[in-house]
Amino acid sequence: LRGYDRALEALRGLVASQGAHASADLCDALVADPSYTAKPEFNIRPEHTAFDAATRIVAIYLPVVRANEPGIVADHDTEFLHHYRIGLRKIRLILGLFDRVYRADRTQDLRARFAALMRATGPLRDLDVAILDRARAYAMLPHTLHPGLDALFAALAQERQAALQKIA
């Protein structure tokens, strides 16, 4: 998985500071919360009302969104923000699809609140995507232009840190 370099180095340092070496058993024991999934399943039955279905889906996705917040703030990996935004997008989609299930003013308010979270996190995600595509940018340009890319990616990294601090 890409983007886990800092987290891996932190783990290796912690393990080494305890006088041990990372083993497969240790790595298996350190797997994140096994109950977390970015793609939860829904148990919606024919007897459920549209209100029940919409509420259930939103209630299932809210913990997914919230579970990613500490990883975003700690800047462990870009995937935390990615999963956060996907969860928000799915909640907004449900609120739009089930347009008349909730009171119109309530739906509009909820959609606006989730849209505000999407807007606030958009610049950070855009910078993450640009930086993750760094290798392709270098591969596309001749080596003589790489110093310019170095400057560009250094500036993007600084801008990303500012955007991360704003989100955190």
Side-chain angles (χ1 to χ4, degrees):
L1 298 175
R2 63 183 182 185
Y4 286 90
D5 298 349
R6 258 195 302 179
L8 179 59
E9 288 308 311
L11 175 62
R12 283 184 177 148
L14 180 64
V15 170
S17 74
Q18 301 300 312
H21 298 287
S23 68
D25 291 338
L26 175 62
C27 291
D28 289 343
L30 293 173
V31 171
D33 180 2
S35 66
Y36 173 82
T37 178
K39 297 179 182 180
E41 293 183 20
F42 310 103
N43 185 15
I44 298 172
R45 297 187 300 272
E47 64 269 15
H48 286 140
T49 65
F51 179 90
D52 293 337
T55 302
R56 181 180 294 253
I57 293 168
V58 170
I60 287 171
Y61 267 104
L62 278 174
V64 170
V65 169
R66 296 302 307 265
N68 285 285
E69 290 172 347
I72 296 168
V73 173
D75 199 21
H76 289 311
D77 188 86
T78 61
E79 289 299 303
F80 288 99
L81 179 60
H82 179 60
H83 288 263
Y84 179 84
R85 289 177 51 82
I86 288 172
L88 291 175
R89 200 165 37 245
K90 289 185 179 185
I91 291 170
R92 290 181 65 219
L93 175 68
I94 292 303
L95 292 172
L97 289 174
F98 288 81
D99 191 17
R100 301 184 198 281
V101 170
Y102 303 116
R103 286 189 348 233
D105 61 327
R106 176 79 60 169
T107 300
Q108 186 176 14
D109 179 57
L110 288 170
R111 291 191 80 207
R113 288 172 184 247
F114 288 116
L117 292 170
M118 293 291 287
R119 272 191 310 279
T121 58
L124 179 59
R125 182 62 187 157
D126 291 344
L127 289 162
D128 283 344
V129 170
I131 291 169
L132 286 170
D133 211 21
R134 180 184 195 135
R136 190 167 75 93
Y138 278 91
M140 289 173 48
L141 295 177
H143 290 288
T144 56
L145 296 178
H146 286 192
L149 284 177
D150 293 340
L152 170 66
F153 283 107
L156 289 176
Q158 285 183 330
E159 192 175 333
R160 183 190 178 281
Q161 280 307 115
L164 177 64
Q165 290 306 312
K166 187 174 179 183
I167 295 300

